[in-house]
Amino acid sequence: MFKRNVQSLKDIILRSLHEQGLETPLLQKRLVEAWPKIAGPVIARYTLNTYIYNQTLFVRLSNPALRSDLSMRKQELTKKLNDSVGEQVIADIRFC
């Protein structure tokens, strides 16, 4: 008899993404897309733009008062966002 090397489809896809260098951009995209869910609908309404650069999530907001309020909660938000994608993708959040 012979042994079969059975692997799950998830493992095969993740290994392929890692080998091609696409794992990190995919995680970054998932994290940016998770912002409205993690931040909530009210904050999402005032969010103009979000992007990641050098492990920092930049969030452009239209309300200055909200900007200062969220600055106090950035450690909590960073943890929740990283937990939502299952990896350490960002180290900081900047509100502008």
Side-chain angles (χ1 to χ4, degrees):
M1 296 194 88
F2 61 91
K3 291 185 180 181
R4 293 183 183 189
N5 186 10
V6 179
Q7 297 177 351
S8 70
L9 184 58
K10 177 183 175 183
D11 293 338
I12 293 170
I13 291 172
L14 288 175
R15 187 178 69 238
S16 175
L17 287 171
H18 182 71
E19 288 171 357
Q20 295 176 13
L22 298 174
E23 184 178 29
T24 301
L26 179 63
L27 290 173
Q28 289 176 345
K29 181 178 181 339
R30 286 177 50 205
L31 188 134
V32 167
E33 289 176 349
W35 170 254
K37 179 182 157 206
I38 300 295
V42 174
I43 296 170
R45 221 176 348 169
Y46 291 104
T47 302
L48 301 175
N49 191 15
T50 55
Y51 63 95
I52 297 175
Y53 181 74
N54 285 344
Q55 290 189 327
T56 301
L57 176 66
F58 289 87
V59 180
R60 188 164 174 242
L61 299 167
S62 61
N63 187 329
L66 186 61
R67 207 176 297 144
S68 67
D69 181 47
L70 289 176
S71 292
M72 292 182 234
R73 296 180 46 208
K74 69 177 161 178
Q75 286 182 342
E76 171 194 346
L77 291 168
T78 301
K79 182 178 179 346
K80 285 183 178 181
L81 286 165
N82 282 328
D83 289 347
S84 75
V85 296
E87 296 247 351
Q88 174 76 25
V89 178
I90 59 169
D92 192 21
I93 302 176
R94 299 249 173 112
F95 300 101
C96 41

